[in-house]
Amino acid sequence: MKVGVLTGGGDCPGLNAVIRSVVRKGVQEYAFEFVGLRDGWLGALQGNVVPLDISSVRGILPRGGTILGSSRTNPFKHEDGLRRVQNTLDMHNLDALVVIGGEDTLGVAAELSRQGINLVGVPKTIDNDVSGTDYTFGFDTAVGIATEAIDRLHTTAESHMRTLVVEVMGRHSGWIALHAGIAGGANVILIPERPFDIDQVCSWVQSRFKINYAPIVVVAEGAVPKEGRVILKDRTLDEFDHVRLSGIGEWLAREISHRTGTDARTTVLGHIQRGGTPSAFDRWLATRFGLHAVDAVKDSDFGVMVALHGTQIIRLPLAEATAQTKMVDPSLYDEFEVFFG
């Protein structure tokens, strides 16, 4: 078989580990031939294909990002997108695709599967919001980076006795904010799943100052105040109709400062969370996902996504795995409210 591999959506640590794993097992055990599609679905539209062999994946395990490049391209937003993707597969004699991506990339994969294209999905996103899998690779690394940042901010916040608001990624779900906030000892954690009361936030902040501690507020970029709306960087839409988030941290700092009469500053971690070398767990998980994805190709079990359930890697129908976004359970959030304020 000849198999194409692509990485779509936002980059994250662990993508190269999947590529390496797929190619190593596919070549060594199944004698598959591989090519990489450059820049995600954009490469599929343009026919931009590069060879992939064992020598080309040597040494990439600890590297962040993706050697294949990525983009937020939706082929269904381009004229004759389906036909152009199919033409690329036919031109290069590809029997199947391994598609590595998050909710948007895998959503495209699910529709292409319904249109008859042979493919297997691998879930990737630092937001950990793909349903059907306990964890996505990239998430553990992002949480570690955010936690280290929060640890460092505690000392400067206490030196100046000011509130520091830390804005982390999380468009629809607050997994990074919750995990990093708890691990870093934050005093307030705000997530998209739970609209927040700004008066309550300010009360928690003031309670910390009363005992001579400087508050740390961790907020996901998609968090919203009650009876409010998402704070936008601008109103430009990408090809998946997403706006550019960022700004909730600055808004919070201004409100806290105005309402409490104390100094408040913002740190936006942004793409720092995506960059750099993957954690040991993310390398391990990404490698396992790759091994099981190429097994699914070997079995001609297409239209599925590999997923982590407990310690086992299973296969789920792509349509099921992409049907909804995985959100933070309210009861899990409630467990940690004892640490707020």
Side-chain angles (χ1 to χ4, degrees), residues 138-297:
F139 172 67
D140 184 71
T141 304
V143 168
I145 292 168
T147 300
E148 181 182 355
I150 295 166
D151 287 344
R152 291 175 179 273
L153 290 169
H154 272 290
T155 58
T156 186
E158 290 168 5
S159 295
H160 295 275
M161 287 306 291
R162 61 164 60 113
T163 301
L164 282 181
V165 179
V166 185
E167 182 182 309
V168 300
M169 286 185 170
R171 176 180 294 274
H172 302 298
S173 59
W175 292 105
I176 294 176
L178 187 62
H179 281 242
I182 292 302
N187 311 114
V188 182
I189 301 170
L190 307 176
I191 63 176
E193 294 90 337
R194 183 71 64 88
F196 62 86
D197 183 339
I198 187 61
D199 291 328
Q200 178 65 74
V201 171
C202 290
S203 176
W204 283 328
V205 164
Q206 289 174 313
S207 71
R208 296 299 291 177
F209 281 125
K210 286 178 182 177
I211 56 174
N212 294 317
Y213 280 97
I216 298 289
V217 178
V218 175
V219 57
E221 61 186 350
V224 294
K226 289 181 178 178
E227 301 178 356
R229 60 182 182 180
V230 174
I231 307 297
L232 305 180
K233 196 174 188 70
D234 60 49
R235 296 188 177 276
T236 305
L237 300 179
D238 66 16
E239 293 189 7
F240 293 96
D241 295 327
H242 295 318
V243 293
R244 293 179 63 193
L245 297 181
S246 188
I248 185 63
E250 289 289 348
W251 182 88
L252 268 171
R254 287 196 303 270
E255 289 296 315
I256 290 170
S257 183
H258 174 71
R259 292 167 182 255
T260 67
T262 59
D263 190 20
R265 305 290 178 89
T266 305
T267 297
V268 180
L269 295 185
H271 289 81
I272 290 173
Q273 296 158 91
R274 292 192 182 280
T277 188
S279 67
F281 177 80
D282 280 341
R283 299 184 202 189
W284 177 88
L285 180 58
T287 296
R288 292 193 71 199
F289 276 162
L291 295 175
H292 285 262
V294 81
D295 283 345
V297 172

